[in-house]
Amino acid sequence: MISEKIILGIDPGTAIMGFGLISVKKGKMEMISIHELILKKYPNHETKLKYIFDKTLALIDEFHPDEVALEAPFYGKNVQSMLKLGRAQGVAMAASLYRNIPITEYSPKKIKMAITGNGNASKEQVAGMLQNLLKLKEFPTKYLDASDGLAVAVCHHFNSGTIADTKSYSGWESFLKQNPDRLK
């Protein structure tokens, strides 16, 4: 039986990307760390993707998570924004798979529902509930994207052992088996 599990939650973004790490010991959650990667300052999308990959690998190498959970891109009207967001998510996924860490995706509504009980909750409501769930005196970051990353990790813990509305991959072979349309 595993005595401790570390979960890295990632909220992909092209302006700000949020990361949250939790430890689960005997069913009890504790926040390990929360990070945000400010990408607005980088000159182009390719540079942003490199920093996303590097930061994700650095967090994996520092904290050695057992599992990675990501927020799946939501469907929007702006195709270019969706493409950039999908690339950001893909790079974070690639970094996780590169280190052979299983990944799971959750829809934004599922994450909000797991944390607040309301799939339409605001970012502020999610952050407030996380503060309560993790017994934080104050929220340790100014950007709500970082709290969204933490929310993904907590959602993953709450959904451990369930399969609904998630996609899990244990490595490249698993990813390609579940997504044959992505292989060319």
Side-chain angles (χ1 to χ4, degrees):
M1 182 166 181
I2 298 173
S3 61
E4 177 184 21
K5 177 167 50 172
I6 296 174
I7 302 169
L8 169 61
I10 302 174
D11 176 31
T14 56
I16 301 172
M17 190 157 182
F19 300 90
L21 285 128
I22 62 169
S23 167
V24 180
K25 293 179 190 172
K26 298 179 183 175
K28 186 178 178 198
M29 288 184 299
E30 185 177 317
M31 185 182 79
I32 298 173
S33 188
I34 189 168
H35 297 271
E36 63 236 355
L37 183 58
I38 309 299
L39 298 163
K40 299 176 208 176
K41 61 186 174 187
Y42 296 112
N44 57 51
H45 190 62
E46 294 77 18
T47 304
K48 291 177 182 184
L49 294 176
K50 180 183 179 339
Y51 281 104
I52 291 167
F53 187 84
D54 291 345
K55 179 65 171 184
T56 305
L57 273 182
L59 289 170
I60 289 168
D61 291 344
E62 180 179 354
F63 295 102
H64 308 288
D66 299 290
E67 299 170 1
V68 172
L70 292 111
E71 182 174 312
F74 56 90
Y75 299 99
K77 293 180 182 179
N78 186 330
V79 176
Q80 286 301 314
S81 293
M82 285 299 303
L83 178 62
K84 288 178 180 178
L85 186 61
R87 287 176 179 165
Q89 182 198 30
V91 168
M93 290 172 81
S96 302
L97 293 171
Y98 184 71
R99 292 289 191 247
N100 294 314
I101 299 172
I103 59 175
T104 305
E105 296 177 81
Y106 294 94
S107 71
K109 277 193 177 287
K110 180 149 181 105
I111 295 164
K112 291 175 181 180
M113 184 63 117
I115 303 303
T116 68
N118 176 1
N120 295 313
S122 69
K123 286 179 176 279
E124 292 80 8
Q125 289 171 314
V126 171
M129 187 58 82
L130 287 171
Q131 188 173 347
N132 186 39
L133 286 168
L134 297 167
K135 297 173 179 56
L136 305 172
K137 291 182 181 173
E138 58 183 43
F139 216 79
T141 180
K142 79 177 197 177
Y143 293 102
L144 292 175
D145 302 86
S147 64
D148 286 350
L150 188 60
V152 179
V154 172
C155 172
H156 183 66
H157 167 61
F158 286 162
N159 285 281
S160 292
T162 64
I163 300 175
D165 282 352
T166 64
K167 291 183 182 179
S168 297
Y169 314 110
S170 58
W172 283 115
E173 287 182 22
S174 172
F175 176 81
L176 291 173
K177 187 182 274 186
Q178 292 184 43
N179 296 281
D181 56 315
R182 302 246 182 129
L183 181 63
K184 292 192 180 193

